Amino acid sequence: MSVTDSDAYPPIETYGVVGNLETCALVAPDGSIDWFPFPHLESPSILAAILDAERGGRFRIAPTDSFETERRYVDDTNVLETTFRTDDGTVTVTDFLPPAGRTDHPKKVLYRKLACTDGNVEVEVELEPRFDYGRAETSIERVDGGVLAEGDEERTLLESPIDLEIDDDRGRITGEASLEAADEAWFMLRCTGAEDADTDPDAALAETIQFWTDRAHDCDPEDDCAFEGPWHDAVVRSELVLTLLTHAESGGIAAAPTTSLPEDIGGVRNWDYRFNWFRDAGFTVQALMNLGTADEAVDYFDWFMDLCQTDDPAAIQPLYGLHGESTLEERELDHFEGYRGSRPVRIGNGAAEQRQHDTYGELLLAVDEMHQYGRELDADEWMRIRDIVEYVREIWTEPDAGIWEVRGGDDHFVFSKAMCWSALDRGLSIAIDGGHDAPLEEWRDARETIRSDVLENGYDDETGAFVQSYGSDALDATGLLLPVVGFLPFGDDRIQGTIDAIETTLVEDDAFVRRYDGDDGLPGDEGAFVLCSCWLIDALALSGRVEEAQSRFETLRSYLNPLGLVAEEIDPETGAHLGNYPQAFSHIGIVNSALYLGYARGLETPGPAPMGIRLGDPVVSS
């Protein structure tokens, strides 16, 4: 069987994810951990079978006989249970890592608890460590307490209650055990720095469950909460995903825990998403604050505000590493086959060097969102924000790569221009409300100039909609955000025409929205973007078309996997998930769509009115 055979690569949407607020591991339905970078999310992998079934490495625990599986998260946590049912019995594997700095247990230990609940089950254990994306020479030896594997810089100690064998030819560690009802066994993968750490696995599990439970949004029907309803569980899972992708040390939030999961199976649209994009800022802060996850929202806000502390706004990048790294050189792992033959496999991301003018508007939206919650800017912070707004006033006429990071050359993207308008608009509001010094008249003039320019050049009378770029007739889903950021009111005929045109041109199977219908300089196709599908729901809900929005949201929600996770894209024809997984922006979209629907239905929000209502002029149905 060729490793490109789909049988060697489980569907992306079948994976579960666990993590410790510094890194994550993806667990396949057959009990195999197929992705595990260490020590941080953006670090080289120890296990990467998801990117190369033969060379990537895995850590699998499963019955030796044929089985069926059921999986669930322990309620309101990121602790994953995989239950295997065989003809002879049932056994459950519980996977987790203790959150970094949040418990008294070492964060660098991946715990796997094996528990037989009935019958008798034969299980096999297989560990194939492949350090540095499979590039490092690996040595394996027996030591006190288990089997030690070492690469060039990292090492792992597999602590096991059963005898383990070493296959030097294949670089593999194996073992078998027989469990009867009520038997339990702990397998601990101790990574660099935790080989000798004291561990109490039962206590570690209990404290990890408590940590996640304490952070999960909770409301009762009588609370009249905007998130209450049939989608409440999906919202809570999305919140837990966003928290899982938040780096404990810096507060940065990764776009996804993976790299190079393809947007087009077998194609070249494979990117590294283990970084933070500033374009996520405003809607991320809105989602976290409304969920009551204030600590994470404030940490994230403070983190990107620190990155903005530069005398040159032109130096602000669209994305950064989770420790604030600005150098994210894009490279290719030629020795990896890629998920189902999808090459190249990339690490790093060249988009960090692009000019994306929408970034500034999204930053100002985040600053304004926190301002609405009472976060005041000090003098130095305001100076940097003022510099950013002044910079936008200077460069808004120039082309850029746009929000979608096209690789076919810069253009005059309508959304980028609108977000430059947004930077000036929110800058004005913050300056006035906060009593900050600013050239208010100059900013007002610039804001109106940009608005007039976009209305003249970004709206196509023949199409009856805002288009992707000046002089183009291509549609772009970002047109759905124009009323959300307050550029025009929802009731404006041009906005409603844009919604209708996007429904006609970019929507597939009622719930799925493609990003655009223009050329982006890359071969191949892609699926529908989950986030864009959420944008359509938002635009409909805040335009008073609440029943239609709710119906689309229910359809979209049905495509979340049984664990409540979702990737960047969905193939409308097959329902398969595509792209990196789970995707933060997709889950942000789920949260904010639920928020907008709740508000449009007259339910309460814990803070100020949602961004799309506060900045726009929606026609909300009763």
Side-chain angles (χ1 to χ4, degrees):
M1 178 180 69
S2 168
V3 293
T4 60
D5 192 300
S6 60
D7 290 340
Y9 293 92
I12 292 170
E13 66 271 17
T14 62
Y15 281 92
V17 62
V18 297
N20 67 353
L21 305 180
E22 288 188 350
T23 189
C24 290
L26 261 61
V27 188
D30 67 349
S32 179
I33 296 177
D34 289 347
W35 176 247
F36 183 45
F38 183 86
H40 299 114
L41 204 62
E42 66 272 39
S43 300
S45 61
I46 295 175
L47 308 172
I50 198 170
L51 295 177
D52 193 303
E54 290 187 348
R55 303 175 188 86
R58 60 172 50 83
F59 179 18
R60 183 172 180 268
I61 300 178
T64 56
D65 294 333
S66 60
F67 54 79
E68 295 181 351
T69 61
E70 295 178 5
R71 291 192 302 163
R72 64 179 289 270
Y73 282 107
V74 175
D75 292 346
D76 295 341
T77 76
N78 283 312
V79 175
L80 180 66
E81 292 182 343
T82 303
T83 297
F84 300 93
R85 303 188 187 280
T86 72
D87 290 340
D88 298 320
T90 303
V91 67
T92 296
V93 176
T94 301
D95 290 310
F96 69 96
L97 293 98
R102 285 8 184 222
T103 74
D104 295 327
H105 304 275
K107 63 186 179 182
K108 298 179 179 181
V109 179
L110 197 164
Y111 292 83
R112 311 200 75 183
K113 177 185 179 182
L114 188 61
C116 182
T117 54
D118 66 75
N120 183 292
V121 182
E122 300 287 331
V123 298
E124 57 186 354
V125 178
E126 175 187 12
L127 172 63
E128 295 180 344
R130 298 288 185 267
F131 300 97
D132 190 22
Y133 301 114
R135 297 178 296 190
E137 292 292 330
T138 302
S139 64
I140 303 176
E141 63 175 329
R142 296 183 186 279
V143 297
D144 290 342
V147 176
L148 179 69
E150 292 188 279
D152 294 337
E153 298 182 4
E154 305 295 346
R155 57 191 178 273
T156 61
L157 172 66
L158 177 56
E159 183 177 326
S160 166
I162 66 173
D163 292 333
L164 298 172
E165 300 295 329
I166 299 174
D167 184 342
D168 289 319
D169 292 336
R170 297 187 59 182
R172 185 173 65 161
I173 304 163
T174 60
E176 292 190 3
S178 178
L179 278 76
E180 298 180 352
D183 285 347
E184 293 182 356
W186 283 94
F187 297 84
M188 288 175 280
L189 190 66
R190 298 173 173 269
C191 300
T192 308
E195 299 92 335
D196 301 320
D198 291 336
T199 55
D200 180 343
D202 288 302
L205 174 58
E207 290 184 32
T208 300
I209 289 174
Q210 189 64 51
F211 168 82
W212 292 116
T213 302
D214 288 345
R215 275 148 184 79
H217 177 80
D218 184 33
C219 62
D220 298 315
E222 58 268 22
D223 292 340
D224 205 25
C225 172
F227 296 119
E228 181 59 37
W231 44 71
H232 181 267
D233 289 347
V235 169
V236 172
R237 177 52 49 197
S238 293
E239 175 191 29
L240 289 166
V241 169
L242 293 175
T243 308
L244 186 67
L245 295 178
T246 301
H247 195 280
E249 180 181 341
S250 68
I253 302 176
T258 57
T259 180
S260 295
L261 295 185
E263 300 170 13
D264 179 25
I265 301 295
V268 302
R269 296 172 181 261
N270 319 311
W271 314 106
D272 193 346
Y273 274 17
R274 296 173 294 167
F275 312 112
N276 178 263
W277 271 256
F278 273 179
R279 69 176 178 228
D280 303 358
F283 294 106
T284 301
V285 169
Q286 174 178 264
L288 292 177
M289 290 301 288
N290 276 280
L291 284 166
T293 318
D295 289 346
E296 284 77 4
V298 171
D299 288 346
Y300 176 51
F301 179 80
D302 290 342
W303 177 73
F304 69 68
M305 284 297 293
D306 286 343
L307 291 175
C308 292
Q309 299 301 302
T310 172
D311 292 331
D312 182 13
I316 297 175
Q317 299 181 177
L319 63 149
Y320 289 88
L322 299 181
H323 294 84
E325 304 95 330
S326 58
T327 302
L328 306 176
E329 179 186 359
E330 188 170 295
R331 292 167 289 159
E332 297 179 1
L333 300 178
D334 294 332
H335 63 290
F336 268 0
E337 175 190 57
Y339 178 86
R340 293 180 60 185
S342 304
R343 303 184 68 192
V345 173
R346 295 182 173 94
I347 54 175
N349 200 305
E353 301 176 3
Q354 289 184 343
R355 292 159 49 90
Q356 297 178 23
H357 294 163
D358 61 290
T359 297
Y360 303 107
E362 285 134 7
L363 278 173
L364 265 293
L365 286 177
V367 174
D368 181 64
E369 188 72 14
M370 290 302 290
H371 180 72
Q372 296 295 321
Y373 279 93
R375 168 62 158 83
E376 298 295 337
L377 299 175
D378 62 33
D380 187 57
E381 288 174 330
W382 172 249
M383 182 183 301
R384 301 310 175 199
I385 295 300
R386 173 178 165 150
D387 288 346
I388 290 172
V389 178
E390 279 289 278
Y391 178 70
V392 169
R393 189 158 69 97
E394 295 173 3
I395 56 87
W396 74 268
T397 58
E398 300 174 8
D400 74 328
I403 187 175
W404 302 129
E405 302 175 347
V406 298
R407 305 222 171 179
D410 290 354
D411 206 341
H412 291 279
F413 290 103
V414 171
F415 184 68
S416 293
K417 307 292 187 188
M419 292 310 291
C420 287
W421 175 92
S422 184
L424 283 152
D425 183 69
R426 304 331 299 153
L428 277 163
S429 177
I430 296 166
I432 294 169
D433 290 348
H436 299 296
D437 178 58
L440 300 181
E441 288 307 313
E442 289 88 340
W443 286 6
R444 289 190 182 100
D445 290 344
R447 179 181 61 176
E448 184 56 34
T449 299
I450 298 173
R451 184 176 184 275
S452 298
D453 193 74
V454 172
L455 294 178
E456 179 179 353
N457 298 298
Y459 181 81
D460 182 68
D461 289 321
E462 184 174 344
T463 307
F466 286 95
V467 291
Q468 183 177 56
S469 59
Y470 287 8
S472 166
D473 61 0
L475 291 176
D476 191 306
T478 55
L480 297 166
L481 290 178
L482 296 183
V484 173
V485 302
F487 184 79
L488 283 177
F490 286 90
D492 190 286
D493 288 343
R494 290 163 293 189
I495 292 297
Q496 291 303 308
T498 300
I499 295 173
D500 292 341
I502 286 173
E503 284 192 294
T504 300
T505 305
L506 300 182
V507 173
E508 298 183 31
D509 292 344
D510 191 50
F512 301 114
V513 182
R514 291 183 289 115
R515 290 190 294 173
Y516 45 73
D517 60 356
D519 179 43
D520 59 11
L522 291 170
D525 298 318
E526 61 183 21
F529 260 57
V530 174
L531 179 63
C532 297
S533 302
C534 291
W535 289 347
L536 177 58
I537 293 163
D538 302 344
L540 291 172
L542 299 181
S543 296
R545 298 159 66 177
V546 180
E547 290 186 6
E548 185 181 351
Q550 185 165 323
S551 175
R552 289 184 186 276
F553 193 43
E554 287 296 319
T555 300
L556 179 64
R557 192 169 63 90
S558 71
Y559 283 87
L560 303 179
N561 81 352
L563 294 171
L565 306 177
V566 68
E568 180 182 29
E569 304 175 16
I570 294 175
D571 184 336
E573 295 184 2
T574 66
H577 292 210
L578 298 170
N580 286 300
Y581 169 93
Q583 178 78 9
F585 223 170
S586 297
H587 284 282
I588 292 167
I590 296 293
V591 172
N592 285 331
S593 287
L595 176 68
Y596 290 151
L597 276 167
Y599 194 94
R601 291 161 56 225
L603 299 177
E604 294 290 333
T605 58
M611 187 183 302
I613 295 179
R614 189 173 69 250
L615 302 185
D617 181 22
V619 181
V620 180
S621 67
S622 58

